[in-house]
Amino acid sequence: GAGVSQSPRYKVAKRGQDVALRCDPISGHVSLFWYQQALGQGPEFLTYFQNEAQLDKSGLPSDRFFAERPEGSVSTLKIQRTQQEDSAVYLCASQALAGTFSYEQYFGPGTRLTVT
Amino acid sequence: SQKIEQNSEALNIQEGKTATLTCNYTNYSPAYLQWYRQDPGRGPVFLLLIRENEKEKRKERLKVTFDTTLKQSLFHITASQPADSATYLCALPPRGAGSYQLTFGKGTKLSVIP
């Protein structure tokens, strides 16, 4: 069965370049989350969508980070003018409609971003 | 904001023994708590959810307890196997309804030695 997919799996960017990371959630999942995971740490919340609405972007570390989900399915996380501290694994997770009381999140494999 | 502490960064146990991992939180008591497994190079995989009114939850060889007085959850793997070797993450939701993002601990890396 199709799980959450992310592309690219690996991305190397030179400092100052813009990058775009893609997430394909499980079909029909209403909620979508982006997390950032540094080496040896747990995932840290970046932003949350319910359908196409971005309901929470409190975790985005700076205005260089931007996320969108224009049609309520695929989402893109964009980082402008990348810095070395942006190097991390970016995880996408989707979740079925909360009204079903199913709170588990399904994660993709992540995109490992290295900024040189 | 919620702070989560997982007892140790690494835990080594012998195959067949019970592994016990600890998750402590410092602020409000959440409506539920989740445990995830993460293998190298992969995203976390959901294992168990326990609600604030549940003392214990079991799934096959896994058992989770939740003590809101101690602000602690224990995660047990009985009859551990080398295939159980992975990093285990504790995760909590924020306070209040309508918010579903999770706050994760750093994780405990479990190694089961044959």
Side-chain angles (χ1 to χ4, degrees):
Chain A
V4 178
S5 61
Q6 293 186 245
S7 60
R9 289 294 316 276
Y10 304 91
K11 177 70 180 177
V12 178
K14 289 198 170 143
R15 190 161 59 96
Q17 281 185 333
D18 297 349
V19 298
L21 313 180
R22 177 187 168 107
C23 172
D24 283 81
I26 293 173
S27 177
H29 276 197
V30 168
S31 298
L32 184 145
F33 304 84
W34 283 98
Y35 294 88
Q36 180 190 60
Q37 186 171 27
L39 194 62
Q41 305 292 316
E44 289 196 5
F45 169 75
L46 294 176
T47 187
Y48 161 57
F49 290 86
Q50 192 164 318
N51 295 306
E52 68 279 1
Q54 188 174 20
L55 298 187
D56 189 340
K57 53 182 181 179
S58 62
L60 295 176
S62 79
D63 58 8
R64 296 185 295 103
F65 287 70
F66 171 76
E68 59 183 6
R69 194 186 184 198
E71 296 177 359
S73 55
V74 171
S75 177
T76 304
L77 176 67
K78 296 179 180 176
I79 309 173
Q80 297 177 323
R81 304 181 304 281
T82 51
Q83 303 294 316
Q84 283 197 314
E85 62 262 27
D86 300 335
S87 296
V89 174
Y90 291 85
L91 293 164
C92 174
S94 71
Q95 186 183 57
L97 181 60
T100 63
F101 299 104
S102 172
Y103 297 111
E104 60 190 271
Q105 296 187 12
Y106 296 83
F107 284 81
T111 295
R112 180 177 295 279
L113 173 66
T114 303
V115 181
T116 60
Chain B
S1 62
Q2 189 71 277
K3 284 193 179 172
I4 301 173
E5 289 181 4
Q6 294 194 239
N7 58 324
S8 56
E9 288 189 5
L11 181 65
N12 298 327
I13 64 163
Q14 208 70 35
E15 183 176 4
K17 302 290 187 188
T18 296
T20 298
L21 284 62
T22 304
C23 173
N24 294 293
Y25 55 94
T26 59
N27 202 338
Y28 60 88
S29 274
Y32 57 87
L33 184 149
Q34 300 184 13
W35 284 89
Y36 286 78
R37 168 183 173 141
Q38 187 171 26
D39 290 282
R42 297 185 175 229
V45 174
F46 172 81
L47 295 175
L48 280 168
L49 179 151
I50 186 164
R51 299 181 191 278
E52 61 181 337
N53 60 349
E54 296 176 316
K55 291 279 193 259
E56 183 179 295
K57 200 84 168 274
R58 290 176 186 259
K59 179 181 175 184
E60 297 171 355
R61 294 184 295 110
L62 308 180
K63 184 178 88 170
V64 173
T65 63
F66 194 8
D67 188 327
T68 56
T69 303
L70 292 179
K71 295 190 175 181
Q72 182 181 79
S73 174
L74 298 179
F75 177 81
H76 306 272
I77 306 175
T78 58
S80 59
Q81 304 166 0
D84 295 326
S85 298
T87 296
Y88 292 86
L89 299 160
C90 165
L92 282 67
R95 189 201 305 262
S99 296
Y100 307 111
Q101 70 266 29
L102 297 171
T103 299
F104 285 85
K106 281 187 179 182
T108 297
K109 184 176 180 181
L110 174 68
S111 296
V112 180
I113 302 160

